[in-house]
Amino acid sequence: MDGENRMRASSRIFMLLVCLAISPMSFATPMPQDPASAGAQEKDRAAIGAAVQNYMDSWNKHDVHAVALTYTEDTDLINNFGALTHGRAQIEATFGPMLAGVYSETHQTGSVKRIRFLKPDVAAVDLDWEMTGAKNQDGSVRPTRKGLHSLIMTKQSDGVWLIAVMHIHEYTSTPPLAPQTSQPPAR
């Protein structure tokens, strides 16, 4: 390649880099949020907090239908044992007998730890929770349960936020494993 062609190629590469640097797809520098969208996001944070409280209040009333209405129609819930419950109908079918039985005297509280907006109408929400009053099948009282709900919530056309995905993580008193100091024997 002669000098003139090298200069043209260098110019094209330089122009391409300039175009990429100033394009809207450039993510190197975050754009400042305008006050209107910041205000909308604060309203959404408050609405998400209200939706979480609605879930807790519905649970504490042991109203399985009201609990189910805090989820989207096509929700996915993974419990702390890894079992999947899909959709509102399954939420009601799964939790109905529990709220009338072993969870009939439970009280659940929750505190939003973090909200991360993935899109204006989709948020990842981390929620610390605690449940008292659960019983075993024999009627004996279970210890207080604590954990984390990992939620994906979606904003509906009426502005209400619903749970689209919930993963339940329960903290236990199981001590962590001690680091292994030697390799296990080869077999």
Side-chain angles (χ1 to χ4, degrees):
M1 185 182 288
D2 66 10
E4 188 175 332
N5 286 337
R6 252 188 261 152
M7 185 64 92
R8 282 188 202 151
S10 293
S11 289
R12 281 188 225 136
I13 291 171
F14 176 77
M15 289 305 294
L16 175 64
L17 292 174
V18 168
C19 288
L20 287 174
I22 63 171
S23 76
M25 294 179 63
S26 175
F27 297 107
T29 306
M31 297 298 289
Q33 192 175 33
D34 68 61
S37 65
Q41 197 172 78
E42 283 310 306
K43 279 185 176 179
D44 285 329
R45 285 180 186 283
I48 288 169
V52 166
Q53 189 59 52
N54 182 36
Y55 167 80
M56 294 295 169
D57 292 345
S58 298
W59 182 276
N60 293 334
K61 291 175 189 167
H62 308 102
D63 183 344
V64 70
H65 183 68
V67 169
L69 290 176
T70 64
Y71 292 88
T72 60
E73 190 64 42
D74 65 343
T75 194
D76 282 327
L77 182 147
I78 305 286
N79 71 13
N80 53 313
F81 303 110
L84 170 67
T85 303
H86 177 74
R88 279 187 186 152
Q90 276 192 356
I91 294 283
E92 286 197 57
T94 299
F95 287 117
M98 290 184 208
L99 284 172
V102 294
Y103 291 155
S104 65
E105 296 178 30
T106 57
H107 181 79
Q108 194 171 183
T109 57
S111 172
V112 174
K113 285 177 57 167
R114 189 180 102 141
I115 299 172
R116 178 178 173 213
F117 289 94
L118 305 174
K119 294 175 31 177
D121 60 347
V122 179
V125 180
D126 292 328
L127 170 71
D128 281 328
W129 63 273
E130 180 174 305
M131 179 189 291
T132 58
K135 295 182 179 174
N136 294 307
Q137 281 79 2
D138 67 3
S140 60
V141 177
R142 297 187 70 177
T144 297
R145 298 174 62 195
K146 295 180 181 185
L148 176 77
H149 290 325
S150 297
L151 311 174
I152 300 295
M153 298 185 73
T154 56
K155 186 176 183 178
Q156 308 306 295
S157 59
D158 61 359
V160 172
W161 286 82
L162 297 177
I163 303 164
V165 177
M166 176 187 270
H167 288 190
I168 300 172
H169 313 280
E170 188 166 346
Y171 305 140
T172 64
S173 60
T174 306
L177 292 172
Q180 194 169 355
T181 56
S182 65
Q183 294 295 322
R187 294 184 187 218

